[in-house]
Amino acid sequence: MSYGPAPESANAANAFLEAHGRTFQLFIGGNWQPPASETYFESINPSTKQPLAKIAEGNAEDVDAAVAAAREVLPAWAGLGGHQRARYLYAIARQIQKHARLFSVLESMDNGKPIRETRDIDIPLVARHFYHHAGWAQLMDTELSAYKEIGVIGQIIPWNFPLLMLAWKIAPALAMGNTVVLKPAEYTSLTALLFAEICQNIGLPKGVLNVVTGAGATGAALVKHPNVQKIAFTGSTEVGRIIRRAIAGSGKKLSLELGGKSPFIVFEDADLDSVVEGVVDAIWFNQGQVCCAGSRLLVEESVSEVLYAKLKARMEQLIVGNPLDKCVDIGAIVDKVQVKTIDELVQKGIHEGYAAWQPTAICPSEGYYYPPTLFTNVSPAATIAQEEIFGPVLVAMPFRSHKEAVALANNTRYGLAASVWTEDINLALSIAPQIKAGSVWVNCTNMFDAASGFGGYRESGFGREGGREGLFEYIQPRMEATLSDKPFLPKIAAESKTAASKNGLPLPDIDRTAKMYIGGKQARPDGGYSMVIRSRSGTYIGEVAEGNRKDLRNAVEAAHANSAWSNMTGHARAQVLYYIAENLAVRRAEFARRLAQMGGQTMEDALLEVDTAIERIYTYAAYADKYDGRVHSTVLNHVTLAMPEAIGVLAIICPDESPLLGFVSTVIPAIAMGNSVVVVPSETAPLSATDFYQILDTSDVPGGTVNIVTGKKEELAPELARHDNVDGIWYFGTKEGSQKVEYLSSDNMKRSWVNYGKYRNWSDTVQGAGEIFLRHATQIKNIWIPYGV
Ligand code: NDP
């Protein structure tokens, strides 16, 4: 028995195209307008190579008009309140459901993906995202009252899930009171234009959504526009990097959802028949043009040959053909350019000595197709095992031990998703946290839902889309508006009131050069240089080591070598933090004298800074076992665990001001969450940080948890920003320094958090402490576990 063709009718989609004369304008300020350039590009149906429509090519002038429209309506839209916005989002969701068939067919024709997928996955999920975020709009005032909208958001989306990526971006942005300028992918603009029409029909206020179609240059103009407050991008890591660099230092917020090379790990006790169906969903869903495609099959050696045989048998059954045919498993590739990219990588694999296996069934001769392809026993270093192919190509390799499976899974610069297959729940839940990826699917794959965040680790980008965690990409703390352009420095006391004279106590040692602190030990600087430290009035106080690149390298190595800290429970970490606070309290007067000596404040003010530091350590000790995750309410019969995980090795460039409190307020939340840190303390007043390692030494902090490298922050910060083994960086300094850090962080796409030259009052609990520090110290991993029979 074989399946006969069961084609879905293209009539409604063709009628829609005809109704527009197969020509589409730009949607700006609620109106359809021709592009300033008066040029149009063609959108084709990749399964027939026939043109579908002409699409306006927007340029910088059009982007400017769209941003102006979005900016104009922003106060009214944000001011409308959550409930009114919820009503609009709800209306959009209803319209999507009402026009689901048209959307599905149009998407299928424009992109080449099978109608089964657009009908059953893409479009229902689009509606789900608008419903879900209508709910968040409704709840914003109660659940997120300390936050407000960001402003005008520039959103740039790819061609692989055109309408779904639109929904992932537009729904949370509008719900949170932002307005949007969207640039769809050149290959696939049509459903975005139909969506704009729907927004027009439901009476969405003009300018809230603007769609400027066009090429990469149109996207670049949006990225550069000075009145855009945030860029949300999904696409290639290469373009993500260009965008990170283009907006570095501008203060624009950024979320990046980039490429992947996700592992699909099969242990020997897995149900291999289910595994085979899982692989089909992992790599042949959307022709493999999926950022989180399970493109690397890692199989326990004992079952690898059996699995390959089952897989090949299944591949023989896959039907490649007309995307509008409901029986088709694999549709067309989006464009001939993508076919070429896929084939070049496959040829490279063959050239490097690996055998490509393809089923005997042939692809249609008309249109852009690529057969499902399997490479087995590929070396982890092979190009095809490392590069994102973005096509229906699976690369398989065996492993012998659980440890090797994890090592192979993490042997990639990406970290978007992973799939773990085993009948042993203990094994699954021990492997999942070890994999550096934003989503881990246990005995399932490619699971998405609006209630769960999706996004990457490492070069797969940063930020989350969906779930409560995704909302933070579209809001900013109200507190940020109160940050100052000048640092908060303590008042200098009259000479008679300074620490030494007031208390008659001796000043701390002045003839000692404070060393650095690396791997739990004091360390001399590699360069052998030291820096003189003076009080604010210019008196010589002492010297500190002047760290350089090699010292940072040693510090990063020591931080990586320390697994003891990240493996401790939150409760155990809390105990160590309380101990730190206790030891600081014992040496309260000594630290206050040091502060007064460096900052010139009264002993009273200095004691207050120490006391606030002790209180702050208590705060984060308290949070250590309380800043935990959620169980998201996603799809039926699945538990979706959203777990905040440590970033890994965090570099922290401390503020110069508040030398003790600034140090404690940044380092302690970072380690409370399980990170190891490399800290550059205040450059001008580092001595309370170098004194602090005596506290660390006596508080049971494992060596390598906190590494302190003193020196010139504007020299050390760029080194840390470009360091490949640093996973994240916080920088509190100048505007120029912030720009440099953001720019250089793009090398390995590390997370960066900078202050753009704005200063916090560290003694203020709203500006100097709180959940925001914990959020920047963690990233959310969503683990999906199915249950039931
Ligand atoms: P791109 O990253 O080039 O495109 C994504 C979006 O960015 C598109 O809208 C594109 O416009 C736009 N764009 C391109 N250049 C710029 C720029 N300089 N500034 C701002 N926006 C820009 O991906 P491609 O479509 O070219 O695909 C290339 C590869 O990227 C694929 O083979 C695949 O490996 C990967 N990819 C990954 C995706 C993911 O989800 N992670 C999605 C898509 C691709 P335009 O469409 O006009 O080029």
Side-chain angles (χ1 to χ4, degrees):
M1 274 238 294
S2 62
Y3 290 99
E8 176 72 48
S9 165
N11 289 348
N14 280 324
F16 164 75
L17 296 173
E18 289 299 337
H20 291 80
R22 293 197 180 256
T23 304
F24 289 85
Q25 313 296 354
L26 306 171
F27 185 64
I28 295 178
N31 302 311
W32 295 96
Q33 64 183 59
S37 66
E38 294 179 11
T39 52
Y40 293 79
F41 60 92
E42 210 158 60
S43 193
I44 58 134
N45 179 340
S47 70
T48 61
K49 302 186 191 172
Q50 295 305 309
L52 287 171
K54 285 192 168 34
I55 315 252
E57 172 128 17
N59 64 13
E61 204 180 307
D62 301 309
V63 166
D64 195 41
V67 173
R71 195 167 139 92
E72 196 185 329
V73 72
L74 179 69
W77 179 248
L80 205 55
H83 174 61
Q84 293 301 330
R85 289 200 302 274
R87 286 180 166 224
Y88 281 110
L89 268 85
Y90 175 77
I92 293 173
R94 292 287 296 129
Q95 286 296 310
I96 286 164
Q97 283 185 319
K98 203 169 143 197
H99 298 287
R101 186 166 292 250
L102 173 58
F103 271 117
S104 308
V105 175
L106 192 62
E107 192 80 306
S108 197
M109 287 164 70
D110 202 16
N111 167 280
K113 58 172 69 193
I115 184 76
R116 266 195 316 126
E117 293 179 6
T118 56
R119 184 195 61 193
D120 300 344
I121 300 170
D122 294 45
I123 309 306
L125 268 175
V126 169
R128 164 87 176 116
H129 268 264
F130 281 97
Y131 279 125
H132 181 78
H133 287 94
W136 278 122
Q138 178 70 32
L139 297 176
M140 184 178 180
D141 297 341
T142 39
E143 290 275 319
L144 297 157
S145 57
Y147 294 86
K148 66 192 284 279
E149 76 288 349
I150 291 175
V152 175
I153 317 284
Q155 306 191 318
I156 301 171
I157 54 172
W159 42 259
N160 55 343
F161 291 90
L163 195 68
L164 188 55
M165 291 301 103
L166 172 154
W168 282 20
K169 290 191 166 43
I170 290 184
L174 298 193
M176 296 294 105
N178 304 279
T179 55
V180 165
V181 178
L182 177 88
K183 209 296 278 177
E186 218 174 331
Y187 295 146
T188 54
S189 306
L190 289 172
T191 47
L193 296 164
L194 172 58
F195 177 82
E197 203 167 279
I198 272 179
C199 291
Q200 197 178 23
N201 291 344
I202 63 143
L204 188 72
K206 292 180 176 205
V208 169
L209 168 71
N210 305 273
V211 180
V212 182
T213 44
T218 318
L222 186 55
V223 166
K224 272 202 307 233
H225 200 289
N227 290 334
V228 168
Q229 278 81 42
K230 177 194 163 119
I231 294 293
F233 172 82
T234 298
S236 61
T237 297
E238 188 193 348
V239 174
R241 193 169 277 126
I242 292 171
I243 293 175
R244 164 76 291 180
R245 290 179 180 159
I247 66 171
S250 67
K252 276 183 199 157
K253 302 204 185 303
L254 177 66
S255 48
L256 296 174
E257 201 267 272
L258 309 174
K261 192 77 185 172
S262 299
F264 187 108
I265 311 165
V266 182
F267 291 97
E268 63 181 0
D269 67 341
D271 170 1
L272 294 187
D273 292 319
S274 301
V275 165
V276 169
E277 292 314 309
V279 172
V280 170
D281 284 344
I283 188 65
W284 293 304
F285 172 52
N286 201 21
Q287 297 70 250
Q289 303 166 125
V290 183
C291 48
C292 54
S295 52
R296 283 188 301 142
L297 176 63
L298 314 179
V299 199
E300 194 149 7
E301 199 175 39
S302 50
V303 292
S304 61
E305 291 306 324
V306 184
L307 181 62
Y308 297 158
K310 280 178 181 277
L311 206 48
K312 287 176 182 172
R314 180 69 177 88
M315 286 169 77
E316 287 287 4
Q317 306 300 316
L318 292 171
I319 304 173
V320 185
N322 175 12
L324 285 184
D325 185 336
K326 284 170 255 178
C327 296
V328 150
D329 299 301
I330 299 180
I333 302 293
V334 72
D335 190 82
K336 61 174 179 301
V337 174
Q338 192 61 19
V339 175
K340 186 165 171 270
T341 308
I342 298 167
D343 196 52
E344 278 171 4
L345 278 160
V346 166
Q347 295 313 320
K348 191 146 200 184
I350 294 168
H351 183 72
E352 285 180 13
Y354 304 104
W357 188 89
Q358 292 172 339
T360 43
I362 344 162
C363 295
S365 52
E366 186 70 358
Y368 304 123
Y369 290 93
Y370 204 88
T373 304
L374 172 68
F375 283 95
T376 47
N377 298 328
V378 173
S379 141
T383 308
I384 49 172
Q386 289 296 329
E387 294 296 316
E388 183 180 42
I389 299 176
F390 227 63
V393 184
L394 179 65
V395 168
M397 63 192 77
F399 65 83
R400 288 187 176 158
S401 65
H402 298 173
K403 202 170 157 205
E404 191 190 3
V406 172
L408 284 174
N410 288 333
N411 180 21
T412 166
R413 58 201 169 99
Y414 297 113
L416 199 49
S419 208
V420 178
W421 293 74
T422 168
E423 291 299 294
D424 178 352
I425 188 76
N426 287 335
L427 177 60
L429 292 183
S430 107
I431 297 292
Q434 297 181 60
I435 296 174
K436 294 187 167 64
S439 299
V440 179
W441 296 300
V442 174
N443 291 337
C444 56
T445 191
N446 278 337
M447 300 297 296
F448 311 104
D449 188 73
S452 167
F454 181 86
Y457 282 33
R458 308 203 278 195
E459 290 192 35
S460 290
F462 42 77
R464 294 290 178 267
E465 296 188 297
R468 189 175 193 277
E469 57 264 37
L471 299 176
F472 293 98
E473 304 302 326
Y474 291 102
I475 50 180
Q476 55 180 331
R478 293 182 188 279
M479 165 277 292
E480 275 184 10
T482 65
L483 298 181
S484 162
D485 290 329
K486 290 205 184 95
F488 293 85
L489 296 173
K491 245 201 286 162
I492 295 189
E495 190 62 27
S496 62
K497 287 191 181 163
T498 57
S501 54
K502 190 177 175 207
N503 299 294
L505 294 167
L507 284 169
D509 264 347
I510 61 164
D511 56 347
R512 181 171 77 95
T513 298
K515 296 190 189 58
M516 298 179 300
Y517 186 66
I518 295 177
K521 296 193 185 76
Q522 295 189 39
R524 289 179 195 285
D526 166 80
Y529 293 106
S530 57
M531 300 189 330
V532 169
I533 302 303
R534 296 183 187 280
S535 72
R536 275 166 73 203
S537 55
T539 315
Y540 175 90
I541 308 177
E543 287 174 35
V544 292
E546 186 176 336
N548 66 13
R549 183 145 44 111
K550 283 197 187 152
D551 299 310
L552 291 177
R553 189 193 59 196
N554 295 340
V556 173
E557 249 172 51
H560 267 289
N562 165 35
S563 54
W565 183 250
S566 57
N567 287 337
M568 280 161 75
T569 61
H571 168 61
R573 284 200 297 270
Q575 282 183 304
V576 174
L577 297 184
Y578 284 126
Y579 200 14
I580 292 176
E582 189 184 321
N583 284 327
L584 182 58
V586 170
R587 296 168 71 168
R588 175 175 178 263
E590 181 195 329
F591 270 85
R593 279 198 304 279
R594 181 63 101 188
L595 289 173
Q597 183 194 34
M598 294 188 295
Q601 64 265 53
T602 62
M603 193 61 183
E604 219 176 359
D605 283 352
L607 282 168
L608 193 62
E609 180 170 340
V610 180
D611 289 343
T612 313
I614 293 168
E615 190 183 338
R616 198 139 296 167
I617 299 170
Y618 261 69
T619 299
Y620 293 114
Y623 267 128
D625 63 350
K626 293 172 194 66
Y627 189 72
D628 51 16
R630 291 180 164 232
V631 179
H632 285 316
S633 179
T634 56
V635 302
L636 208 58
N637 290 354
H638 275 77
V639 174
T640 309
L641 307 174
M643 300 191 353
E645 288 190 338
I647 302 274
V649 172
L650 257 188
I652 299 178
I653 320 298
C654 292
D656 278 338
E657 69 280 9
S658 303
L660 177 65
L661 193 52
F663 177 90
V664 160
S665 303
T666 49
V667 169
I668 301 297
I671 64 170
M673 294 295 101
N675 296 285
S676 294
V677 295
V678 175
V679 194
V680 178
S682 166
E683 178 178 330
T684 49
L687 297 172
S688 45
T690 52
D691 292 344
F692 202 86
Y693 56 60
Q694 296 157 21
I695 304 263
L696 298 172
D697 268 345
T698 50
S699 306
D700 296 340
V701 181
T705 306
V706 179
N707 303 278
I708 303 172
V709 177
T710 46
K712 296 187 175 138
K713 69 198 275 185
E714 299 312 328
E715 284 174 19
L716 298 177
E719 295 299 337
L720 286 165
R722 65 163 73 93
H723 199 300
D724 250 2
N725 288 327
V726 171
D727 304 302
I729 182 165
W730 296 359
Y731 171 90
F732 297 92
T734 61
K735 197 167 183 317
E736 299 70 37
S738 300
Q739 191 273 343
K740 225 178 243 177
V741 165
E742 285 196 332
Y743 187 94
L744 295 170
S745 295
S746 65
D747 283 4
N748 73 343
M749 285 295 178
K750 62 174 67 69
R751 278 132 192 72
S752 57
W753 185 31
V754 304
N755 68 333
Y756 305 111
K758 293 275 184 190
Y759 296 91
R760 281 165 199 270
N761 178 356
W762 291 100
S763 58
D764 177 65
T765 46
V766 178
Q767 291 194 1
E771 198 222 338
I772 192 164
F773 288 84
L774 302 173
R775 194 140 37 74
H776 283 283
T778 52
Q779 51 197 338
I780 304 278
K781 170 182 281 177
N782 275 282
I783 302 178
W784 293 66
I785 308 156
Y787 61 84
V789 284

